[in-house]
Amino acid sequence: MHTFYADILCASLVARLGVSPDAAESALLATLEHFRAQAHNPAVARAGFTPDEYLLTAARTPRFKATLTASALMADGREVDSRLSWEAYVQREIAAAECAHQAVPPTALLGDLDAVHHVGQRLGLSDEQTDQFIPGIVLTLAQGYPYRAPEQRHLSLADILAQVTTEDLTEFLRHAAVSAASRAREAAAAARRMQRGAR
């Protein structure tokens, strides 16, 4: 990130949050490091991004701003404000994901509750378990929406959710189920299968 832009971000944090310049600089470095690490995930390359392109795209997202804000407040010793700021961001993201999910047509898999339950049942999940996992799956897809592949960049989040296939949902539910059961090795294997499927 260019020094000029970094200086502007830090000055904005100081003015907006009342944090010290040192806290702002520390938060920016930590946030950039966090997103740089994500930029080298193989899934980023499969989505058609170089690490620099991913970082440039990420820096424009609400998630980057929320991470930076929470980090700056934490670095300034304002742990409660940091937690409340992050929780407010998460609630906004959940609300946006819910609205997008509600806009999915009933002909699409994620718009058809019976079809979703059928996928869960094939994995041995009760309808109640499936219902508990779906909001988290939708939120995860929403969080990846800003980094969608080039051929999907013209699509809305509702469009992206409408493209979820039975195979996709099966893997998502399997991963959610083993993660909820604290079966870390199986969850990691399911995550690798999902990443390979994104190629």
Side-chain angles (χ1 to χ4, degrees):
M1 182 172 285
H2 295 293
T3 305
F4 178 71
Y5 184 57
D7 289 345
I8 290 173
L9 275 178
C10 287
S12 171
L13 289 171
V14 171
R16 185 166 53 89
L17 303 174
V19 299
S20 71
D22 286 346
E25 185 176 344
S26 172
L28 180 58
L29 291 173
T31 302
L32 286 173
E33 188 59 35
H34 173 75
F35 281 88
R36 275 195 191 105
Q38 289 184 348
H40 289 89
N41 187 304
V44 169
R46 288 194 292 272
F49 287 98
T50 67
D52 285 345
E53 288 169 341
Y54 177 87
L55 193 58
L56 191 61
T57 302
R60 298 191 203 105
T61 63
R63 186 162 152 253
F64 185 93
K65 182 179 179 182
T67 303
L68 182 58
T69 297
S71 183
L73 291 167
M74 183 66 76
D76 204 51
R78 294 161 57 187
E79 291 86 357
V80 172
D81 289 341
S82 174
R83 179 175 51 77
L84 291 174
S85 171
W86 182 256
E87 287 175 357
Y89 159 72
V90 170
Q91 289 306 312
R92 289 192 300 273
E93 289 294 290
I94 289 171
E98 286 175 348
C99 285
H101 190 198
Q102 289 165 6
V104 173
T107 52
L109 177 60
L110 278 179
D112 183 341
L113 190 59
D114 289 337
V116 167
H117 284 165
H118 182 66
V119 174
Q121 288 163 5
R122 287 190 309 181
L123 292 172
L125 301 174
S126 68
D127 291 351
E128 292 77 16
Q129 287 174 306
T130 300
D131 290 343
Q132 288 171 1
F133 293 142
I134 290 298
I137 290 169
V138 170
L139 181 59
T140 298
L141 291 168
Q143 287 172 331
Y145 172 68
Y147 319 112
R148 59 202 182 279
E151 67 273 11
Q152 295 183 323
R153 290 188 189 149
H154 66 288
L155 299 176
S156 70
L157 177 54
D159 292 334
I160 297 290
L161 296 177
Q163 290 187 358
V164 171
T165 65
T166 301
E167 293 76 17
D168 294 334
L169 185 58
T170 300
E171 287 301 326
F172 295 147
L173 283 171
R174 182 179 286 120
H175 181 263
V178 295
S179 296
S182 301
R183 287 152 46 193
R185 187 170 295 168
E186 288 177 65
R192 284 193 297 274
R193 281 195 302 275
M194 287 189 290
Q195 286 184 344
R196 283 196 297 271
R199 289 181 186 183

